[in-house]
Amino acid sequence: MTDFFVSTGWLAEHLDDPGLSVVDGSWYLPAQGRDARAEYEAGHIPRAVFFDQDVVVAPGSTLPHTLPPPEVFATFAGSMGIGRDDTIVVYDGPGLFSAPRVWWMFRIMGAKDVRILEGGIDRWKREGRFVTDKPTKVAPCLFEVAFDPGRVASLDEMRRVVETGTAQVADARPAGRFEGVDPEPRAGVRGGHMPGARNVPALSLGRDGRLLPPDELRAAFETAGIDLTKPVVTSCGSGVTAAVLVLALETLGHADTRLYDGSWTEWGGRPDTPVATGKA
């Protein structure tokens, strides 16, 4: 068991610590009706920098949120004043939606101590803690990247997984989209799921801005048909909430976990990939 969270009380107590980086990793679907950057500019946790998940991406990619090459990520991180040896605390609005994606990115790029703020800035504000609209001043630094490519799955690798069953696929999208009943939010993307995939909706794994207790987490994966003793690849719409599943699996001590970065936008947006509908 590993706990990747810090409490609002802990962060408030340690805001002045040297070597602490606070990162607003908020990103929202259009249906959520929230503007991440506007909320950051209106009031953010002191010392927080804004990590724009629509900008820190692979240059020229036609897919949303594509993981940038290591050297590109290092440039972004360094410009935000974040070092690989920092204690990095990431937050979003509700606490367990987009922050895990930033947590995952920093970790696979070599950061050693990355945490998520439980309850996010929504809880921080409800508790009456201080926020500021003043820009965070940072001193650019060198982020010494140490990329782990084994934690990311490509389209070709996913084709092999689907064809051979060498790993399980856990899909984090809501059930309606997984089953092909509800439309995808992006034009030109088919409904349904990869043959053999199992549905573990990301929003079902949290409560009050943090993960469910371990026994409930295990039950959620096992009920979905995921064997926690075998390899798992996580997927979602564009690679954001798939990281919630990675977070849950690693919290349970599951080490053989990869994230399909292209996720359903890539798979469902192609004419040459097999698609299944209905319940798994």
Side-chain angles (χ1 to χ4, degrees):
M1 282 298 302
T2 304
D3 188 355
F4 294 108
F5 288 83
V6 297
S7 68
T8 52
W10 183 94
L11 182 58
E13 185 178 338
H14 291 272
L15 270 178
D16 293 329
D17 287 4
L20 174 73
S21 287
V22 184
V23 179
D24 185 329
S26 301
W27 175 86
Y28 303 106
L29 290 164
Q32 291 172 280
R34 298 181 67 164
D35 184 324
R37 182 174 286 279
E39 288 189 21
Y40 171 82
E41 292 175 352
H44 52 268
I45 295 174
R47 292 185 65 169
V49 294
F50 186 69
F51 188 105
D52 192 331
Q53 297 200 50
D54 290 321
V55 173
V56 187
V57 297
S61 175
T62 59
L63 296 170
H65 309 130
T66 306
L67 185 72
E71 64 277 8
V72 173
F73 183 88
T75 298
F76 276 114
S79 70
M80 289 184 263
I82 302 171
R84 192 177 75 177
D85 294 328
D86 288 356
T87 293
I88 303 168
V89 177
V90 186
Y91 70 84
D92 59 27
L96 200 61
F97 183 71
S98 61
R101 170 72 181 193
V102 181
W103 166 89
W104 174 77
M105 292 174 74
F106 271 106
R107 294 181 76 241
I108 67 168
M109 291 296 177
K112 300 173 183 178
D113 185 13
V114 193
R115 309 298 179 99
I116 295 172
L117 180 66
E118 57 185 19
I121 195 169
D122 291 353
R123 177 182 295 180
W124 181 274
K125 289 178 177 178
R126 285 197 305 270
E127 293 173 346
R129 299 186 187 277
F130 182 72
V131 296
T132 179
D133 59 0
K134 295 181 179 179
T136 299
K137 296 180 180 179
V138 298
C141 66
L142 175 65
F143 184 93
E144 297 181 353
V145 70
F147 178 50
D148 183 357
R151 309 307 296 275
V152 189
S154 66
L155 174 62
D156 287 342
E157 289 170 322
M158 291 310 298
R159 290 187 191 274
R160 288 193 293 271
V161 165
V162 170
E163 291 171 2
T164 65
T166 52
Q168 304 164 99
V169 180
D171 191 318
R173 291 175 299 151
R177 290 170 59 191
F178 177 87
E179 295 170 14
V181 176
D182 296 335
E184 286 297 308
R186 295 177 177 86
V189 179
R190 295 170 289 169
H193 56 269
M194 287 173 261
R198 301 291 181 172
N199 190 207
V200 188
L203 294 181
S204 71
L205 299 182
R207 184 184 302 133
D208 299 326
R210 66 163 298 141
L211 289 174
L212 297 174
D215 57 340
E216 295 183 43
L217 277 183
R218 290 191 186 93
F221 282 105
E222 291 169 354
T223 299
I226 298 294
D227 185 339
L228 294 173
T229 68
K230 297 179 180 179
V232 179
V233 182
T234 69
S235 179
C236 61
S238 64
V240 175
T241 59
V244 177
L245 272 58
V246 174
L247 173 67
L249 288 164
E250 293 198 17
T251 296
L252 292 173
H254 190 285
D256 196 349
T257 305
R258 289 181 290 164
L259 187 151
Y260 172 29
D261 196 46
S263 279
W264 190 250
T265 300
E266 180 173 51
W267 189 276
R270 300 180 61 92
D272 60 347
T273 48
V275 171
T277 56
K279 295 182 180 181

